[in-house]
Every structure is written in structure tokens, then in C-alpha cells.
Amino acid sequence: MRPGTVWLGLAIAILLTAGAASFLISLQSEQAAAPPSARAPVAPASPPGPVPAPVPGPVASVVLDVDSRADGYALAEWRRAQGEGGAIDGVTLAGGQALPAQSLTDADVIELGGWAGDADLGLRTRFVVVAVCGRVVATPTVDTPRPDVAERVHPNLFASGWRARLAVKHLPRCADAAIEVLGPVGGFPFAIPLEGRRALDLAPAGGPAADTRGPAGLRGPPADPPALRRVVVQGQGSVNLRRCAGPACAAIGQLAAGAHMAILAEETSEWLLLAVPSAGRSGWIAKRLVRLD
């Protein structure tokens, strides 16, 4: 099996936009016209005076939605697992401009994106962990369609894309500042580093800062591992564990008939991704072949 399933070995070891519409109501009042004799005389118009110049008001600042927070936590709270778990596709300034040659300041906002998921078995990760100088600063959701990854890497990773905005004012400073991203897997406190670590040139904190709005909090490692489930393989012989959810996918192991305690890592309408500690095996199995208690 490829290195992407190293996390399973560790796991077995530790068991809207609602739019708002606005509208304007105009009220018109009618007055009965008075007869000409009853009308008050009209005073001659006064000569026009100078029109006062408008007083300039404050320019409204643009508030950018970001995924970062300054009160992050230590990246060491995640245990690193080896394997192929995704990549950072690019790092730019907000709006798509290339990063400047000079140091980034607190007025800058960085955009980055990529894909994340276990390349071996196609286990999807729900979010990624973005860190700078060993501190987690953002945990954006993984849910963007990436048909290229589904075709090139694993068919179960269609919705494996992610994007993040980082306010430089939220980033810690250190001698070798860099963005690194990890993908948590399997409901365990393990995360696989994504390829594409990017060095940053950060100016000292302070000075004008971007006006941003961030998330309420950051996601951290799970407190408890997933519960073991009783899986009964029906019939008399062994059944195949496959690399992906389909009969045409390569068989990567077998599971004997009978009852097993397993971790349910992923599920589709017709397939289960199981990690079976007693058998030292993991893979996809057709639901019709097992009973899950």
C-alpha cells in the first residue's frame, strides 16, 4: 500500500446569501386648487446666492472577510503523518496579484488555495490547518469541486478543494516565516502535510492594517478518536477491500467472513471505507456484503 495510509497505522495504534431586497414607497398628497381670487400673491424670487461646497465625509473602508485569527494555537497539537495528502496550488495577494518583492505589511491580505485528502484511499478531510511560524492561524473548510484531482489522484476526492484568506496582521513573526498547510484525516489528531510550503517575507508588526472580519474560532484536533463499530462480513469466504468505492477498483486486501471491530472512516450510498485494527487492513467494501451494527 502506498504511503498515504500511514495515518491508518497510527490510528490503529491509538485507537447565504440571503439576499435582502429593498424598495422605496413614495407618497403623494393632493390639494384642491384654490380659486384665483383666493390665492396668495407670489413674492418675487430672491437672486440666487452662492452654493456652499459639499463637506467631504470619511471614506468608507472595505472590510475583507478572512479565514485567519491572531489568537491561534500551537501546530504541535497535531501529530504529523506521512503520505500524500494534497498540495498548495498558489499564494497571491487578495485579488490575485502576485506577492510583492518587498516585505508584506499588516495592510496586506494573502490568498491561497489547493486540494486536500488521502491520495491512497480517497479519505476526504473536512478542513485544512494553515500555520505560520508553528502557530495555526486558519482552518478553512474543504468543499470546493476539483474534478482534476478526482481524475488524476482519486475518484473520491471530487470535492477536495479549499481556499483561504490570511490577514498579515494576524500572522506571527519569526526568522524563517512560511505558510504550511496540513490535512487532518480520519477523525484522529493526525494531519498530513500538503506539498507547497511557501516562505514569507514579513515586515515587523504594526502600522496601518487591513480592515477584516474573521471566523468566530479555529478548529482543533478531536478530543476523542472515532468509536469502533461492529462489522459482520456475511457469507462463508473472504471479501475484498478495495482502493476506491467501486467493483472496478483494485483490491488491496481481504477481510474474512465473521464479525470484526472497525473504524468507519468514510461512507457513500453503496460503499464503506473501513479500518480494521484486528486484521491490520483498511479499504472500501460494498455495503451489500456486510452488516454494520
Side-chain angles (χ1 to χ4, degrees):
M1 200 177 298
R2 293 164 47 190
T5 53
V6 171
W7 70 268
L8 281 173
L10 294 172
I12 291 171
I14 69 163
L15 250 203
L16 107 76
T17 290
S22 59
F23 54 89
L24 178 67
I25 301 176
S26 299
L27 299 177
Q28 293 181 338
S29 58
E30 286 187 20
Q31 270 188 334
S37 59
R39 292 177 186 170
V42 178
S46 302
V51 178
V55 178
V59 178
S61 61
V62 177
V63 180
L64 290 178
D65 287 317
V66 298
D67 301 283
S68 58
R69 289 179 61 94
D71 57 346
Y73 59 90
L75 181 59
E77 292 188 22
W78 290 94
R79 296 176 59 180
R80 292 175 182 257
Q82 296 178 351
E84 183 183 350
I88 303 172
D89 289 340
V91 181
T92 66
L93 289 179
Q97 296 178 332
L99 293 184
Q102 68 271 22
S103 299
L104 296 168
T105 71
D106 284 357
D108 292 315
V109 174
I110 299 171
E111 285 188 346
L112 63 155
W115 68 273
D118 176 52
D120 191 10
L121 293 175
L123 178 64
R124 292 175 290 184
T125 184
R126 306 305 176 189
F127 63 95
V128 292
V129 175
V130 183
V132 174
C133 295
R135 300 287 298 177
V136 175
V137 296
T139 53
T141 301
V142 176
D143 60 1
T144 305
R146 287 295 300 264
D148 58 320
V149 176
E151 180 179 359
R152 176 174 52 88
V153 180
H154 196 286
N156 200 46
L157 297 181
F158 178 82
S160 61
W162 59 271
R163 294 206 64 80
R165 273 183 173 177
L166 311 179
V168 173
K169 66 180 182 180
H170 292 157
L171 306 185
R173 267 54 168 183
C174 62
D176 299 310
I179 296 175
E180 55 182 328
V181 183
L182 286 77
V185 288
F188 290 88
F190 306 133
I192 302 175
L194 276 59
E195 295 181 356
R197 183 177 185 272
R198 176 65 181 266
L200 293 176
D201 182 6
L202 301 177
D211 192 1
T212 62
R213 177 175 48 226
L218 302 177
R219 290 173 277 200
D224 300 307
L228 287 170
R229 303 283 297 274
R230 186 172 182 268
V231 178
V232 179
V233 178
Q234 317 217 45
Q236 300 299 318
S238 298
V239 296
N240 287 324
L241 292 169
R242 298 186 180 275
R243 180 177 177 264
C244 54
C249 295
I252 55 176
Q254 290 189 324
L255 197 59
H260 304 268
M261 299 304 294
I263 299 166
L264 176 58
E266 187 78 66
E267 182 175 4
T268 71
S269 60
E270 298 181 356
W271 292 80
L272 304 172
L273 175 54
L274 301 176
V276 188
S278 61
R281 295 283 186 271
S282 58
W284 292 88
I285 190 170
K287 284 184 176 179
R288 61 182 176 80
L289 301 177
V290 299
R291 186 178 77 246
L292 185 63
D293 295 336

